[in-house]
Amino acid sequence: MSLAAKVLKGDVQAAARLISLIEDESAEALKEMESLYPYTGKAHIVGVTGAPGVGKSTLMDNLIGFFRRQNMTVGVIAIDPTSALTGGALLGDRIRMQRHTADPKVFIRSLATRGWVGGLAKAAIGAVHVMDAMGKDIILVETVGSGQVEIDIVKAADTTLLVMAPGAGDEIQTMKAGILESADVIAVNKADKEGADRLKIDLAAMLEMKTQRPGDWLTTVVLTEAINDKGTDEISSMLLKHREYLKASGELPKRRRERAKLELLETIEGYLKDMIHNLDGGAYLEKLVDDLLKGKKSPQSAASDIKSRLAGKLTSSKEQE
Ligand SMILES: Nc1nc2c(ncn2[C@@H]2O[C@H](COP(=O)(O)OP(=O)(O)O)[C@@H](O)[C@H]2O)c(=O)[nH]1
Ligand SMILES: [Mg+2]
């Protein structure tokens, strides 16, 4: 039986193996994914984002508990683009979600950087497709609040849950990244700590300034105390409510269309980059970089040179690489 066929039957080991192949960008993974795609698109994908240490993993452990009580099957992907530098973060995630590791209806997978950070979001989205095809009802994707990977995951999610905690200047970071704009639900975690109420009020005030059209989803702020499993029902119900909103408003197909387009464009971008790297066995790119360093060319004119080379390549049937 193929790996894909096993995944469709819900085989956890096959799914884990396939995700590893995706991480390695193996050709076999592409082939297997081809037969999985028709079975995707059913799961509800929730991106869980926020600065390190705000309590995302602890909160997710509670969310898993809630959804399991609703008899939903759950997939969890924890990604950490910084783990190569800091180490240990993923281990912490695993420990905090340990309650559910023995539950066969919960599939938890961590992804760490293997060099190129850009590959991480791609691998995570691949892992989402695998869990979706496996038949998971809800997929939670945890990412730390840092730059591009986070933004890519937010784009890939149906619902974005932003987790914040009092202190540490989270507010400023969030505004910078524009993540607040894309948050559908906000958890102000560590409600046991000083400043949580204040943060909730400040966030509500900021959200009020957002331009709303009639019928738009109103981002809600919920206080949680993840270490004591407090606020879990409110936050989980809000996530399910958002899912209902997406369906009822027709927003879901729109988001999914955007997502499909983005994935397609990023895949093409990958192909083009590969082609550029392979021009004259890599020498062409290096030559242009030399020209840039020597001030002989601007990035624009170097890029224009590459464009002409590629255009020639794409139209010429004789030339092969
Ligand atoms: N005081 C307090 N600490 C919490 C709460 N939730 C999580 N923590 C602690 O915050 C730390 C970071 O939690 P973690 O879930 O790993 O955060 P993540 O990095 O966002 O995934 C851990 O020591 C948790 O026990 C909370 O509601 N109150
Ligand atoms: Mg974590």
Side-chain angles (χ1 to χ4, degrees):
M1 210 194 288
S2 74
L3 218 45
K6 285 184 185 164
V7 169
L8 288 174
K9 284 183 176 295
D11 184 329
V12 173
Q13 257 144 18
R17 169 96 190 101
L18 182 51
I19 293 171
S20 299
L21 289 173
I22 292 170
E23 280 188 288
D24 294 339
E25 300 191 51
S26 98
E28 194 189 337
L30 289 179
K31 215 182 86 219
E32 299 283 351
M33 288 310 288
E34 210 56 47
S35 40
L36 283 188
Y37 272 112
Y39 300 93
T40 61
K42 295 190 194 83
H44 184 65
I45 304 160
V46 179
V48 182
T49 183
V54 291
K56 295 180 294 299
S57 301
T58 315
L59 184 65
M60 280 165 75
D61 189 61
N62 299 337
L63 296 180
I64 299 169
F66 178 93
F67 294 126
R68 289 298 298 123
R69 287 194 291 280
Q70 308 283 312
N71 218 8
M72 294 168 79
T73 56
V74 186
V76 178
I77 300 162
I79 62 174
D80 185 357
T82 62
S83 61
L85 303 170
T86 56
L90 287 174
L91 185 66
D93 288 343
R94 239 172 271 147
I95 289 165
R96 278 185 260 294
M97 290 185 270
Q98 215 168 31
R99 266 205 297 154
H100 301 284
T101 44
D103 182 345
K105 300 272 172 70
V106 179
F107 181 37
I108 301 177
R109 182 61 204 248
S110 312
L111 297 177
T113 314
R114 296 189 182 181
W116 184 49
V117 175
L120 192 58
K122 229 170 81 185
I125 291 163
V128 166
H129 290 319
V130 172
M131 292 190 186
D132 190 355
M134 264 177 105
K136 295 289 173 238
D137 295 316
I138 193 156
I139 301 169
L140 308 170
V141 188
E142 174 181 350
T143 134
V144 293
S146 65
Q148 196 53 44
V149 178
E150 174 182 46
I151 290 166
D152 288 348
I153 296 303
V154 165
K155 283 187 199 148
D158 295 318
T159 299
T160 297
L161 168 61
L162 172 66
V163 186
M164 297 182 103
D170 296 330
E171 303 92 302
I172 318 290
Q173 281 178 30
T174 305
M175 297 308 289
K176 251 193 226 155
I179 293 297
L180 193 64
E181 295 291 309
S182 32
D184 300 303
V185 181
I186 301 176
V188 170
N189 191 38
K190 307 200 182 181
D192 52 308
K193 291 207 166 174
E194 177 91 32
D197 288 316
R198 183 75 245 162
L199 179 55
K200 187 183 170 192
I201 292 166
D202 289 348
L203 283 168
M206 272 195 256
L207 289 168
E208 256 175 42
M209 295 193 295
K210 227 164 105 173
T211 32
Q212 291 279 134
R213 285 163 308 179
D216 275 358
W217 171 259
L218 282 169
T219 305
T220 26
V221 188
V222 179
L223 283 172
T224 59
E225 202 178 309
I227 36 161
N228 296 316
D229 206 354
K230 282 193 191 163
T232 306
D233 286 8
E234 287 92 324
I235 201 90
S236 313
S237 308
M238 202 49 80
L239 296 175
L240 293 181
K241 209 165 150 188
H242 185 251
R243 181 177 69 164
E244 290 315 312
Y245 160 80
L246 289 176
K247 284 186 185 157
S249 64
E251 190 66 28
L252 192 65
K254 258 199 264 169
R255 284 199 183 196
R256 297 208 157 165
R257 190 182 172 82
E258 273 308 306
R259 188 195 305 166
K261 192 192 276 179
L262 183 79
E263 215 180 332
L264 175 58
L265 288 174
E266 279 178 357
T267 308
I268 296 172
E269 200 181 299
Y271 285 154
L272 286 175
K273 276 190 184 155
D274 281 348
M275 283 177 81
I276 294 165
H277 278 288
N278 289 330
L279 287 169
D280 302 338
Y284 190 72
L285 182 59
E286 292 308 321
K287 165 79 175 56
L288 287 177
V289 173
D290 286 341
D291 288 350
L292 285 183
L293 289 174
K294 286 180 196 143
K296 282 193 197 162
K297 269 190 201 310
S298 71
Q300 286 72 18
S301 76
S304 173
D305 288 358
I306 292 179
K307 221 164 93 184
S308 312
R309 264 300 292 271
L310 287 182
K313 223 174 154 43
L314 292 169
T315 49
S316 135
S317 53
K318 281 179 217 144
E319 200 183 340
Q320 304 234 327
E321 191 100 75

